[in-house]
């Protein structure tokens, strides 16, 4: 895979996860706008985005075709652990934008910015720690 293909594919998968994340958040926030609903929305969106991104990255970015519950469990656990760092970036940006401007549009802008930065960091962590055993066929 060329570097350009890798970047485009990773960006498309990140966009799919972002859309799923924000859609989940909007669904939860339809029930209320208190801090409890906000926290539930952010958590729910994060979980949905994480699962979608893992499935796509595993197969189409890192070409990891290993199967089995033990394999998936170990890799998903590592993938999630690497995501804790990037989730802090995402939640911090989204929450800061909400606290400063308190509009849905700026909250989502903060989420998009935080997720974008987080995904760049996450790719590097996943390549090094989660899918390190996979050979990346990237040519310049």
């Amino acid at each position: 895979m060329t570097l350009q293909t890798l970047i485009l594919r990773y960006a498309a998968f990140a966009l799919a996860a972002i859309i799923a994340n924000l859609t989940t958040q909007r669904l939860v926030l339809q029930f209320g706008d208190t801090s409890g609903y906000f926290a539930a929305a952010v958590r729910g969106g994060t979980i949905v985005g994480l699962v979608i991104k893992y499935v796509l990255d595993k197969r189409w970015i890192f070409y990891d075709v290993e199967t089995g519950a033990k394999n998936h469990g170990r890799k998903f656990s590592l993938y999630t652990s690497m995501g804790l760092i990037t989730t802090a970036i995402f939640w911090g940006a989204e929450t800061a934008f909400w606290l400063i401007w308190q509009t849905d549009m700026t909250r989502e802008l903060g989420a998009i910015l935080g997720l974008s930065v987080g995904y760049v960091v996450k790719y590097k962590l996943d390549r090094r720690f989660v899918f390190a055993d996979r050979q990346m066929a990237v040519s310049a």
Side-chain angles (χ1 to χ4, degrees):
M1 163 170 36
T2 67
L3 180 59
Q4 181 180 12
T5 301
L6 172 68
I7 291 168
L8 289 173
R9 190 178 286 178
Y10 196 81
F13 295 165
L15 182 60
I18 289 169
I19 290 169
N21 183 321
L22 295 177
T23 299
T24 301
Q25 287 190 34
R26 284 184 177 188
L27 290 171
V28 171
L29 289 171
Q30 287 181 352
F31 295 101
D33 61 0
T34 65
S35 60
Y37 283 106
F38 175 76
V42 171
R43 276 192 308 269
T46 300
I47 291 166
V48 169
L50 176 71
V51 170
I52 288 170
K53 190 80 169 60
Y54 171 76
V55 170
L56 294 171
D57 284 357
K58 182 181 183 310
R59 172 64 181 96
W60 296 102
I61 298 297
F62 298 106
Y63 296 106
D64 184 351
V65 294
E66 294 179 330
T67 59
K70 183 179 176 183
N71 240 348
H72 280 294
R74 183 181 62 77
K75 286 195 177 162
F76 188 72
S77 293
L78 282 170
Y79 190 84
T80 301
S81 295
M82 297 302 116
L84 293 175
I85 297 164
T86 58
T87 297
I89 296 168
F90 152 53
W91 282 1
E94 181 174 9
T95 302
F97 276 55
W98 172 252
L99 291 173
I100 293 167
W101 292 286
Q102 295 189 355
T103 69
D104 287 333
M105 188 172 82
T106 56
R107 177 189 57 78
E108 288 185 355
L109 177 61
I112 290 166
L113 292 173
L115 285 166
S116 298
V117 170
Y119 279 135
V120 171
V121 172
K122 183 140 179 35
Y123 170 78
K124 292 176 186 253
L125 291 170
D126 290 340
R127 184 180 68 189
R128 176 147 185 194
F129 297 109
V130 180
F131 299 103
D133 58 332
R134 307 303 311 159
Q135 290 296 318
M136 296 298 298
V138 175
S139 58

